[in-house]
Amino acid sequence: DVFRAWASQGMIVDAATVGLLMMDGLYRRDVEAEAGLCRMLEMCSAFPELADVFAWCAGPYASHRPLPDYAMRFDTRTCVGSAVVRGSHAKLSRLVTEMRLTAEVGEPAAVLDAIRRHSYGEGQWLKVAGGGKANLIEEVLRSRPAEPTEVAVEFGVFVGYTTIRIAQRACEDAKAFPLRMLHIVGLEVEPVHVCVARWMLDLAGLSGAAEVWPGIAHDSLLRLGDEFGQRSARLCFMDHRGTKFHEDLSRLEDQELLAKGAVVIADNVLKPCAPVFCWVANHSPSYKTVNYAVGEFVQYFVEDWMVVAAFLHPAPSAIGGGAGGGGGG
């Protein structure tokens, strides 16, 4: 309330602030609050294609409250000597435009392929886990199928590329327990990414199998325990900020969220880098860890690392004086 009163003086806030406000509305089960923020994004969007996505995300919840009287700053950077907008939000706008024209609605594999092909265009590269990284993720998904009481958790959703992949595989695994609907929860703080990823999931026909929760992962993990209980996370894919990987792993252990035999996959461990996580995963007795050198998506000549750590049992954390997961396993 203090922030809203402060921001109501006509401020232009950054994306992370809007993401935290969306998280607050979700915590309070206030669908009108989130719908109002989506309407605000629609009104101030610098990109018409994204404005349509925000309107879709607002849905039928036509709030009777006045729209927030602050706006969000969109990324409208241009190249030196050129009027062409090259910011991150411009990339997403072009992606949405092409997906509307080329993606086959209701077909996850076709949506993934459309995103992949788009990324090969000039100035359109997206940092998603494609190519060799996607093959490794598929191998892990085959080795650790979903169980009825478990969910996968993705840290950093971006456009929903890996979210779609995990949800598609989980739906195939779940044919033995058809009453289970939600298979993956994506955690994302950037509100434009939240809206685009939700739209992509709907385009792929997977809105019932996956949810994208706005907010900082470190905070949202507490809700994960509230919603699904302890030992409910069977797969964790970390692709947000490498310097936070070890902290979020510690939070998973503290809250006893990792299921027996859970697998943690960390991307971009070399570039940009996640040195503390890499050390912890390879030295903690709680994990059986394998490190992979893989080529970056599209830029195959650029080496990156992925770490796959299988959870064996709770143990005192290798950092921070012991953040162990307590008993049970």
Side-chain angles (χ1 to χ4, degrees), residues 7-301:
S8 64
Q9 303 173 38
M11 289 183 59
I12 298 179
V13 300
D14 61 9
T17 300
V18 177
L20 292 177
L21 291 172
M22 291 178 74
M23 179 181 73
D24 179 64
L26 195 63
Y27 273 156
R28 292 185 286 109
R29 298 292 197 274
D30 189 345
V31 293
E32 285 196 352
E34 182 173 301
L37 288 167
C38 290
R39 292 295 184 192
M40 179 271 289
L41 293 174
E42 177 191 1
M43 297 299 294
C44 70
S45 175
F47 306 95
E49 299 82 2
L50 293 181
D52 292 342
V53 172
F54 301 141
W56 174 87
C57 281
Y61 303 104
S63 176
H64 299 294
R65 308 173 198 172
L67 290 178
D69 46 5
Y70 48 86
M72 192 190 84
R73 180 182 297 107
F74 282 79
D75 186 357
T76 55
R77 291 171 295 172
T78 59
C79 296
V80 177
S82 170
V84 178
V85 180
R86 294 292 188 185
S88 59
H89 294 153
K91 274 190 172 184
L92 298 185
S93 175
R94 289 192 288 271
L95 173 64
V96 168
T97 299
E98 184 165 335
M99 294 299 290
R100 282 194 171 122
L101 295 173
T102 63
E104 188 174 348
V105 177
E107 294 294 335
V111 172
L112 289 175
D113 188 58
I115 296 174
R116 181 190 64 79
R117 286 186 281 106
H118 173 86
S119 297
Y120 281 90
E122 183 178 355
Q124 296 179 172
W125 179 69
L126 300 171
K127 192 170 178 56
V128 297
K133 294 184 175 184
N135 294 337
L136 179 57
I137 293 170
E138 287 282 0
E139 181 180 339
V140 173
L141 292 174
R142 286 192 292 269
S143 70
R144 181 56 169 90
E147 295 292 337
T149 59
E150 298 174 345
V151 293
V153 187
E154 183 178 8
F155 297 72
V157 175
F158 193 27
V159 299
Y161 184 80
T162 301
T163 323
I164 292 172
R165 184 179 304 282
I166 296 174
Q168 178 189 23
R169 175 63 62 178
C171 287
E172 295 173 359
D173 294 340
K175 290 176 181 177
F177 37 93
L179 295 181
R180 179 71 174 182
M181 288 296 294
L182 184 61
H183 299 294
I184 175 170
V185 171
L187 311 177
E188 175 61 61
V189 71
E190 216 280 8
V192 180
H193 296 175
V194 170
C195 293
V196 170
R198 288 174 174 176
W199 183 80
M200 289 286 188
L201 284 164
D202 187 70
L203 190 67
L206 293 170
S207 287
E211 290 184 359
V212 180
W213 293 357
I216 297 174
H218 190 72
D219 298 327
S220 297
L221 283 177
L222 298 176
R223 184 190 170 201
L224 190 78
D226 291 340
E227 296 278 352
F228 301 104
Q230 294 180 330
R231 307 300 178 205
S232 56
R234 58 105 179 176
L235 174 75
C236 298
F237 179 60
M238 296 187 173
D239 191 21
H240 52 321
R241 182 179 296 179
T243 53
K244 295 292 185 181
F245 286 3
H246 62 285
E247 296 179 6
D248 290 331
L249 183 67
S250 180
R251 176 59 67 97
L252 286 164
E253 294 172 351
D254 284 345
Q255 300 299 316
E256 301 182 7
L257 294 174
L258 292 173
K260 183 178 180 180
V263 181
V264 179
I265 309 173
D267 192 11
N268 304 318
V269 176
L270 177 62
K271 301 174 83 69
C273 80
V276 180
F277 171 86
C278 190
W279 190 92
V280 170
N282 281 275
H283 287 80
S284 171
S286 293
Y287 301 94
K288 180 180 179 181
T289 301
V290 181
N291 308 304
Y292 295 87
V294 293
E296 187 58 83
F297 175 52
V298 179
Q299 302 173 346
Y300 299 109
F301 52 88

